[in-house]
Structure formats: structure tokens, C-alpha cells
Amino acid sequence: MSSKNTVHWLPIWHFIATSVILQCSSQVLGELQVPAMFVFGDSLIDDGNNNYLSSIAKANYYPYGIDFFQGPTGRFSNGKTVIDVLCDLLGLPYLPPYTSPGLNGTRLLGGVNYASAAGGILDETGEYLGERFSLNQQVLNFENNLDELRTLMGGERNLSQYLARSIVVMVFGSNDYINNYLLPPLYPTSYNYTPEEYANLLLNHYTRQILALYSVGLRKFVLSGVGPLGCIPNQRASGLAPADQCIDQVNQMVSLFNGGLRSLVQQLNTNHPGAIFVYGNTYGALGDILNNPSTYGFTVIERGCCGLGRFQGQITCLPFSVPCLNRSQHIFWDAFHPTQAVNLILGQRAFTGPPNDMYPVNVQQLAQL
């Protein structure tokens, strides 16, 4: 791999075919392995929550969803998100967004997606884009569903068993950089905190909310690290690095957060032996793809499939834009988000990957614990 796309990456782990998943539409792939999955995060895994908010950050229009069996749903992708892939592999139905009308009764039982585009660990992150659910609000939204889940379960004991067996996936941090720290005209954080101090600030806030979820009975957590943001089309288009390179300074910043998150996972596992916390090495997995694109069938690594401006990364995918035709060969769908092809790889690696990908266990192993 040439130096133009270099990120710090772990030794290549050969991904095994995703054709079975590609053929899957609305049908789950196997028997139910966990009772539910509860998802908290940002636009990487939002499946429609922002549709019902007064926000600029929306994806409920064509060509988003061009390769998804339901069409545009609010997913920030041409097709499936990583969460959809995990639902397929775990035998779960696709999760309803928290804000979807009529979300009650048995619709809650397979889990809920609380993720919100532009949302971050810090409440103020993404504020300029309009309404969004921050991490704090997403946790409150989950707690709003607990009473009904308790009733559906028939009491506290059954609810406790249900929650303890369910999987929690949390994908946070990207917006706290892209839509906060890296926007000095709008946010003072880069003046007030060094990159190390900011990473610690995020991790301290994150820890409190993770423990809030633990306190209500959730016991299986997947905490995803931040990918190499310096390589996304939006950052490449900023002009802060040569045209053929990632912004190494940005990648170094998120590496500080990721290193702290992995250490936090070790600490949480030590301090809470009745639970299991998993670190998802998104940075390493996506770095592997960026450094070895041909191994995975990718030919376009630096520009979005849909968008405007330099690298199709200055203005995101607008309504009724004409996207690229070779979507399966693109790593990035728009200025910020990966294509379905990448999500299929990341989801499979999360499910069956080795400790370099998922530490200390992968999602398949987590489901069996």
C-alpha cells in the first residue's frame, strides 16, 4: 500500500466472503442468539431517528438507501449499516428507531435503535445541525422504555434476565471530533483542551453513561472505537493535507481516544466481573481496508460515491443526486460514511473477528456467554 493512504493498522486479517449477507434482504440469517440488541450512537448506525427531529442531519431521501430493500429509511448509507449486518448474524429483526411512531408493545422486544445523526458524547456536539439525541439523551430514551419492557416481561426478575442476556452496542466519538473539536470557528474545545485532555474529557463522560446502563441491568457491551477520520472524504477535502494523503494529525487525535477506550474496557471488565465489555477496533479494521483495498475488492479509496466538491466530500449527498455506479468498489458512500460493502466487512469482523478486531471476545462469543 502506498504512503498516500497510510494509517496505523494491525496485520491484515483475511476477510471471508460476504456473499451470503449480500443476498439477504429482510430475512434474518439464523436462529435467535440473543433476546435483543440495544444500540446507541451516531449517524454511522442511525436507522431513522433523525427523520422525526428538526435536523439538517437526515438521510431519508434518495439516493440514500438505493441498495436497501426498504429504500431510503434514514440510514446514512447506500444499504445496510453495521447494525443491520449484526442483526442478520444474530437472528434479530432489524431494530426499530426509538422515534418511530407506535413503538410500543412487542415491537420493543427485539431491541431498539437509539442512535442519532450528529449526536455525540458531549451534549453540545453537533448543535449547529439542529435537533439530535446526545449520548445522555439516548440513555434517557432507553430508560423511558424500561417500564413497558418490565410489563412485557411480567416483572423485575424476568426483565433482569432479559437485559443481562441482551447485547448493547455503542458507537460514539466521531461527531465529537468532526462536529466539535475540529470546528474551531463554532466550538472552543480545541483552544481549551489539548488532544489528550479532550480524549480524557470524552472518556469521562462516556464512562458515566456506560455505568448508567450497567446500573439498570445490562451486562453485555460492545464499545466501538473511532475510525481513521483523517481519511474520510470530508477531511481530505479540507485542504489540510496534500491531495493524496490522509490527515495524520486527525488520525493521531482519534487514536488517543481509542487507546483510552481500550484501556477503559480492561478497567470495566476488572471492576465488574458479572459483565463483559468489548472493545471494537474500528480504526484497525478500516485502516486495514484502506491500506489493502484490492484485497477486499475496492478500487476507489479517497472519494465519496455521492457528494459534491473535492473528493465528493465538501457537500454531502443531496436529494436526488446521481451516485456512482460502482458502489461496491467504493470505501466511502458520502463525505462521512462507508458504503454497504464496507459495513458488511466490518459487521462480519465484529461478529467473528480475532482479538485484534474485537477484544477480549467477538460478538458471536459474547452472545454465547
Side-chain angles (χ1 to χ4, degrees):
M1 178 67 189
S2 67
S3 61
K4 67 180 181 178
N5 294 295
T6 299
V7 296
H8 304 294
W9 59 287
L10 296 168
I12 185 169
W13 178 74
H14 292 288
F15 173 71
I16 300 173
T18 57
S19 58
V20 174
I21 301 174
L22 278 167
Q23 292 166 8
C24 176
S25 59
S26 62
Q27 299 300 311
V28 295
L29 292 183
E31 293 182 6
L32 188 67
Q33 298 182 45
V34 293
M37 182 161 58
F38 297 98
V39 171
F40 305 82
D42 54 30
S43 58
L44 290 168
I45 56 173
D46 184 351
D47 65 357
N49 279 306
N50 276 34
N51 297 353
Y52 304 95
L53 301 179
S54 179
S55 171
I56 296 173
K58 292 187 180 184
N60 56 344
Y61 54 83
Y62 180 88
Y64 286 99
I66 187 173
D67 298 311
F68 193 64
F69 74 102
Q70 292 179 330
T73 58
R75 289 165 169 81
F76 286 76
S77 173
N78 58 305
K80 296 180 183 182
T81 68
V82 170
I83 296 301
D84 297 323
V85 178
L86 289 178
C87 284
D88 287 339
L89 294 169
L90 288 167
L92 289 167
Y94 291 166
L95 304 181
Y98 172 76
T99 56
S100 58
L103 179 59
N104 52 40
T106 56
R107 287 191 67 207
L108 293 168
L109 288 179
V112 179
N113 188 322
Y114 300 93
S116 176
I121 295 171
L122 302 181
D123 286 340
E124 64 269 22
T125 289
E127 193 171 35
Y128 71 102
L129 293 169
E131 291 181 343
R132 71 260 169 263
F133 296 137
S134 67
L135 168 60
N136 289 345
Q137 186 60 53
Q138 289 182 39
V139 172
L140 290 174
N141 291 344
F142 167 74
E143 291 173 351
N144 287 340
N145 288 144
L146 275 181
D147 283 341
E148 185 157 8
L149 283 170
R150 187 177 291 106
T151 301
L152 289 168
M153 292 287 113
E156 195 67 43
R157 182 177 178 182
N158 290 341
L159 176 65
S160 295
Q161 293 175 345
Y162 164 83
L163 292 177
R165 293 178 55 223
S166 298
I167 288 179
V168 176
V169 179
M170 305 185 78
V171 179
F172 280 101
S174 295
N175 282 316
D176 294 289
Y177 287 97
I178 296 171
N179 288 313
N180 189 324
Y181 197 75
L182 296 174
L183 287 179
L186 297 179
Y187 291 93
T189 42
S190 61
Y191 303 118
N192 296 338
Y193 303 96
T194 66
E196 293 85 355
E197 291 169 340
Y198 189 65
N200 287 332
L201 175 72
L202 295 179
L203 290 165
N204 287 336
H205 279 74
Y206 206 0
T207 303
R208 285 198 290 273
Q209 296 305 323
I210 292 167
L211 291 177
L213 293 171
Y214 171 85
S215 70
V216 300
L218 292 162
R219 293 293 181 265
K220 297 181 179 183
F221 291 81
V222 177
L223 308 176
S224 173
V226 177
L229 294 181
C231 300
I232 66 175
N234 166 263
Q235 290 299 299
R236 288 180 185 266
S238 68
L240 298 178
D244 60 347
Q245 292 184 8
C246 300
I247 303 178
D248 191 53
Q249 182 183 9
V250 173
N251 286 342
Q252 290 175 12
M253 288 179 189
V254 300
S255 292
L256 292 168
F257 174 83
N258 289 336
L261 184 61
R262 194 180 191 280
S263 296
L264 174 62
V265 161
Q266 292 177 300
Q267 179 185 330
L268 290 168
N269 281 322
T270 299
N271 295 340
H272 302 86
I276 182 74
F277 298 85
V278 176
Y279 171 67
N281 185 16
T282 306
Y283 189 102
L286 193 52
D288 188 5
I289 295 169
L290 286 162
N291 281 293
N292 302 280
S294 61
T295 303
Y296 299 91
F298 296 110
T299 59
V300 186
I301 57 181
E302 75 285 349
R303 64 181 61 247
C305 173
C306 185
L308 297 173
R310 199 168 181 226
F311 299 112
Q312 278 70 53
Q314 290 177 291
I315 298 176
T316 196
C317 191
L318 297 173
F320 301 105
S321 300
V322 179
C324 65
L325 296 178
N326 58 336
R327 294 184 285 278
S328 64
Q329 296 175 32
H330 277 248
I331 291 177
F332 295 103
W333 161 249
D334 62 12
F336 303 98
H337 307 97
T339 56
Q340 171 179 260
V342 169
N343 287 333
L344 290 167
I345 295 170
L346 296 179
Q348 184 69 50
R349 287 177 77 144
F351 193 69
T352 57
N356 280 347
D357 286 336
M358 303 295 289
Y359 173 83
V361 297
N362 58 42
V363 173
Q364 186 177 43
Q365 293 164 332
L366 181 66
Q368 295 166 356
L369 293 175

